[in-house]
Each structure stands twice: as structure tokens, then as C-alpha cells.
Amino acid sequence: MVISNERLQAVQADIKKAVTKRDTEHIVNQTGEVTLLAVSKAQTAEKLREAYEAGQTKFGENYLQEALNKQAELADLNIEWHFIGPIQSNKTQLIAQHFTWVHGVDRLKIAQRLSDARPADLPPLQICLQVNISGETSKSGVTPNALLDLVRTVCALPKLTLRGLMTIPEPTDDEALQHQQFKQMRDLLNDLNKQGFALNTLSMGMSSDYKVAIEEGATIIRVGSAIFGARPAKVSLEGSN
Ligand SMILES: *Cc1c(COP(=O)(O)O)cnc(C)c1O
């Protein structure tokens, strides 16, 4: 039974509207569809179950141990789990075993370890490379200049499938700047495809800017607070765990 969930429905309606405002040349995959990833860090397993019952099947988590606990509690549900947090080397084995997608890969060492640890009986891990598009020195992500080399080497790893790019741009209320940063991501993806890669994923847009991200070509938006409400305290955007 599908139960209603007002915030989720409001986000879904916004997605539809933003898709219609998109210029056709901004569509980067074949379908033009947008996948809603529900970012559930700091939310209880019960909240995830409610969203699942309202039709949401893809969830993004930032903190490994918290995610593993929820996966155990929700093992009866057919959830697709995405790891979207920063990745430390000593966490790669469990991430490779317990997730379908990983969005925050920004260096070869991590990609190599994920590929090595991906169990042989599972399909390749679906990967997005995180790009530091706003050039903030504190941010994780590969620089646009170093991207091509990383794409080449990651594509050669056997147990990974490189799907595209991910970014967390500098937070800003300036819509023109939001557009500009997301457009730069689309341009990077298109440039890679012109060089022969087949990338169809742009993971970009969060609660405050997902409509703009969709207009500029996002194929996966990562939305937390707009679905679940404000997060309980003590969780930072790029917390390490
Ligand atoms: C927390 C987080 C989000 C979602 O943020 P909201 O503002 O709550 O939508 C998206 N992406 C990443 C990488 C995050 O850490």
C-alpha cells in the first residue's frame, strides 16, 4: 500500500516542473528522467521505512556505520543504497560490499581499493567522480584539470562502472551562480563524452538548489531536508565517519 507523504510528493512535483523548464540540449542521458535520491543521514530507520512505503526506494547515506545499522534494520525492504559521504581508505571494503552506488570518489587510490574489494558475485559498483567545481580549497573533489586522467584510470578498473560526475558546489543564494556552477558540470560531462567516454550521470542538486540543478541537466538529485525535515543536530554536510 502506498501511503502519502506530503514533503516527498512536493519534491516530486517540483522535479516534474523543473524538468519541463529544461532546455532539450541540457538533457545528458537518453531518457531525460531525474532520479530522486533521498538523503537519509541522521534520520532513523523508521523514517526511511515511512518514505519507502510512500514509494521512495533509493537512499543516500554519508556515514558508514550508521548506514550499516539501518541496512540491517531495513533488510526486508528492496532499497538501493548509495554512499555519498567522503571516503576514507579504511572504509572502502565495507562500502564496496554494502552499496550499489558510490558518489564521492575523487582519487585513484580510493577507486582502486573499491574495485579490489567489490565482491565477485555482485555487479560492478556504480561510480560518480566528485568534482570540486567552485575551487574552494577546503572541498573534496578532483579539480576539473585533473579530471580526465582520473576518468581514464577509473574506467580501466574491472569491478567499477564509471557513470558520471558528482558535485557539491559552494552554497549560495545567487541563482545565476548556481546555474553557472551546474552548467560547468554539464560541460565537463559533455566534453568527456566527446572524447569517447559514455557517461550518463550528473549527481548534483540538494534541497536548496535541486530545481536549478535539474534545469542544468542533473540526472540524480540528492535531497535530504526537503524530504525529511531539518536533520537532528551534530551532522555536518561532509562529516567524516
Ligand atoms: C547531506 C547531503 C545532501 C542533502 O542535503 P540537503 O540539504 O539536506 O538536501 C546531499 N548531498 C550530500 C553529499 C550530502 O552530504
Side-chain angles (χ1 to χ4, degrees), residues 39 41 62 84-85 166 168 205-208 222-226 231 236-238:
V39 175
K41 62 180 173 222
N62 293 55
I84 64 170
M166 175 270 206
I168 309 172
M206 317 198 310
S207 293
S208 58
R222 309 179 310 268
V223 180
S225 44
R231 273 181 290 279
S236 71
L237 186 66
E238 291 203 72

Side-chain angles (χ1 to χ4, degrees), residues 74 87 101 120 122 143 179 194 230:
L74 301 171
I87 307 159
W101 282 72
L122 292 180
T143 63
H179 276 281
K194 274 181 208 143

Side-chain angles (χ1 to χ4, degrees), residues 38-197:
V39 175
S40 45
K41 62 180 173 222
Q43 307 296 346
T44 61
E46 208 40 54
K47 286 263 199 119
L48 276 73
R49 188 177 289 278
E50 281 169 23
Y52 184 89
E53 282 166 2
Q56 180 64 36
T57 58
K58 297 173 184 184
F59 291 85
E61 289 279 342
N62 293 55
Y63 309 104
L64 180 60
Q65 193 51 54
E66 179 192 329
L68 295 177
N69 293 344
K70 285 180 214 174
Q71 289 179 352
E73 275 189 72
L74 301 171
D76 57 315
L77 307 182
N78 189 17
I79 289 177
E80 181 178 283
W81 294 98
H82 294 228
F83 192 83
I84 64 170
I87 307 159
Q88 293 157 305
S89 307
N90 61 350
K91 304 278 165 66
T92 47
Q93 181 161 15
L94 284 167
I95 291 172
Q97 289 168 345
H98 291 276
F99 291 82
T100 302
W101 282 72
V102 180
H103 292 236
V105 177
D106 66 357
R107 54 196 196 277
L108 181 58
K109 180 185 170 196
I110 295 292
Q112 180 80 60
R113 291 177 66 101
L114 288 171
S115 181
D116 291 347
R118 183 66 168 172
D121 59 330
L122 292 180
L125 199 52
Q126 308 298 296
I127 299 292
C128 290
L129 296 179
Q130 183 171 355
V131 178
N132 181 350
I133 202 65
S134 36
E136 295 163 278
T137 48
S138 61
K139 273 272 164 70
S140 18
V142 60
T143 63
N145 284 338
L147 179 61
L148 180 59
D149 280 345
L150 185 61
V151 166
R152 282 206 183 99
T153 46
V154 168
C155 276
L157 295 172
K159 288 299 285 176
L160 305 184
T161 298
L162 184 61
R163 298 298 298 274
L165 307 177
M166 175 270 206
T167 196
I168 309 172
E170 185 179 1
T172 171
D173 293 333
D174 177 351
E175 257 197 46
L177 183 55
Q178 290 176 4
H179 276 281
Q180 186 198 319
Q181 297 189 126
F182 292 134
K183 177 184 180 302
Q184 280 175 267
M185 290 294 295
R186 186 179 76 238
D187 290 345
L188 283 174
L189 191 91
N190 287 338
D191 285 348
L192 288 166
N193 284 336
K194 274 181 208 143
Q195 305 199 46
F197 298 98

